Amino acid sequence: MTGLRGVAALLVATYHYYPPNAITQPALSRFIGKGYLWVDVFFILSGFVLALNYAHLFASGWSLRRWRDFLVRRLARIYPLYIVLVLGAVLLTLVAHGNLHPGNPAPAVGLPVPIRDLVANLLMVQSWGITRSINGPAWSISTEWAAYLVFPVLVGVALFSRAGTALIAVLAVVAVILGTVGLTMHDGAYHSGPLDAYDGTTVQPLLRCFGGFVLGLLTYRLSRSPRVVAWAAHDGVLGLVIALLVIGFAAGAHDLVVYPLFAALVLGLYGNRGRISQVLGSFPVYWLGLVSYSLYLLHDYLIGPRNGLFEWLQARVPAVWAHVATVPLLYGALLLVAGLTYYAVEAPGRRLARRLSRA
């Protein structure tokens, strides 16, 4: 499943690099144009994987020590790179412009209420209906942090409850996702689709995250049935799920039609030991998953250079050749930077945070 995270991160990056109206092939345009939905894969996958690794800590109920240990582990995973990027962006903006005012040109930081918004970003609570993220993609990290804080409660309801309570949780997920779609479609802002909720000044991103995260927990509950896993993990069934996802994206199917397939995808990959698992578990794809967090948080910073490079090339060669040259340079640079930050910041920061927590 690590490989799935890498593929999802790369598709989110592609969605931001290539707007649908810039792609002439209709099916490919629709496929890439729905790239925002791969963030929902992150949410579902996080719920599933965290249940797999940490739910047992709360099987007998809530414990302050176990809750603290869980949060420290999550902070060690997400905070080192996050804080380096946030503080780096703030410092560069202050050096270049002397302030953090909203009028600063991109990619400089511009905050409506600088002190409040900076504190919210440092605490990772900015996307709880407060303000925008200093690091654009990090709105989803902020919402996941909220899910981590109430993780013991969520696993108690989704995993360690009676069937009736779990059914209520399923209905709650449906209600939350439908509510997110309803709010997004009527908030007057631009969205690429019904589930494209990202504006941290509203509650939609938080609802979107909790819906996916709890769906991931419930999917893990299903995985405790060997029969269900064996069926979902069969190469034929999993291959059909992947085919339906590709067709749904390429056809521009409604988000609510595609969304349930993500849970089936995660469940199937969890149990699959066949050809699909071999592909996603191969070293290149696994490595992509390993650096996926760095890739996800950093990809936005290459949008400007990518556009500048394309314009420079387009002035000298036909547009098609400009695209051909830009693609490998863009993704090569992205993978290089993601790898460097993973090995230089993310992994050492994680080890340091864990050592400090044990001190």
Side-chain angles (χ1 to χ4, degrees):
M1 289 189 290
T2 298
L4 174 61
R5 194 181 295 276
V7 171
L10 200 62
L11 288 171
V12 171
T14 301
Y15 160 72
H16 286 131
Y17 291 152
Y18 296 99
N21 59 9
I23 302 170
T24 57
Q25 211 290 326
L28 182 60
S29 174
R30 290 190 292 266
F31 183 92
I32 293 176
K34 281 196 168 292
Y36 59 89
L37 284 174
W38 295 105
V39 177
D40 296 286
V41 172
F42 293 152
F43 295 145
I44 295 169
L45 194 56
S46 289
F48 188 97
V49 172
L50 293 182
L52 176 65
N53 292 311
Y54 298 109
H56 67 278
L57 297 176
F58 308 103
S60 58
W62 182 80
S63 160
L64 178 60
R65 180 182 62 81
R66 292 193 295 269
W67 181 57
R68 171 192 169 275
D69 289 346
F70 168 75
L71 291 179
V72 166
R73 287 177 178 271
R74 296 318 301 158
L75 278 174
R77 175 69 181 88
I78 66 175
Y79 203 64
L81 180 61
Y82 173 88
I83 195 62
V84 166
L85 294 179
V86 167
L87 291 180
V90 168
L91 290 175
L92 288 175
T93 299
L94 290 175
V95 169
H97 301 281
N99 62 69
L100 300 174
H101 296 162
N104 290 337
V109 176
L111 302 174
V113 185
I115 294 178
R116 180 204 68 182
D117 297 345
L118 178 58
V119 171
N121 273 269
L122 293 176
L123 296 176
M124 294 194 298
V125 301
Q126 71 273 17
S127 296
W128 300 7
I130 298 173
T131 188
R132 62 179 290 267
S133 280
I134 289 175
N135 175 280
W139 68 264
S140 64
I141 310 304
S142 172
T143 59
E144 277 207 32
W145 176 236
Y148 299 162
L149 289 172
V150 295
F151 183 72
V153 176
L154 298 179
V155 297
V157 173
L159 300 182
F160 303 121
S161 61
R162 296 180 179 180
T165 304
L167 178 59
I168 293 174
V170 171
L171 296 175
V173 167
V174 172
V176 166
I177 295 302
L178 290 177
T180 304
V181 169
L183 290 171
T184 300
M185 292 178 67
H186 296 94
D187 65 1
Y190 172 79
H191 301 281
S192 296
L195 271 174
D196 185 28
Y198 56 85
D199 183 359
T201 63
T202 70
V203 297
Q204 286 104 293
L206 208 56
L207 293 175
R208 180 184 180 186
C209 170
F210 270 76
F213 192 87
V214 176
L215 179 57
L217 296 178
L218 292 166
T219 303
Y220 176 72
R221 180 168 180 146
L222 273 181
S223 76
R224 297 189 294 195
S225 168
R227 288 186 178 181
V228 172
V229 172
W231 179 81
H234 189 278
D235 268 349
V237 175
L238 184 54
L240 177 62
V241 169
I242 294 173
L244 289 174
L245 275 170
V246 172
I247 293 169
F249 271 62
H254 195 282
D255 292 358
L256 294 178
V257 174
V258 175
Y259 190 83
L261 293 172
F262 292 145
L265 177 65
V266 170
L267 182 61
L269 287 175
Y270 169 67
N272 184 266
R273 299 296 180 270
R275 295 178 181 177
I276 297 173
S277 178
Q278 290 171 9
V279 171
L280 286 177
S282 63
F283 177 76
V285 184
Y286 175 80
W287 184 84
L288 188 65
L290 201 64
V291 303
S292 60
Y293 184 61
S294 289
L295 190 155
Y296 177 69
L297 287 187
L298 285 162
H299 77 269
D300 253 20
Y301 296 114
L302 293 184
I303 293 176
R306 180 262 169 200
N307 293 339
L309 174 62
F310 177 76
E311 291 171 5
W312 184 85
L313 288 170
Q314 192 178 27
R316 290 159 176 81
V317 299
V320 63
W321 291 111
H323 278 298
V324 169
T326 301
V327 169
L329 291 173
L330 172 65
Y331 287 98
L334 177 60
L335 293 176
L336 176 63
V337 173
L340 289 174
T341 55
Y342 173 79
Y343 291 110
V345 178
E346 193 179 338
R350 192 185 315 169
R351 292 192 294 269
L352 176 62
R354 290 180 176 175
R355 283 200 301 270
L356 293 175
S357 70
R358 291 193 293 266

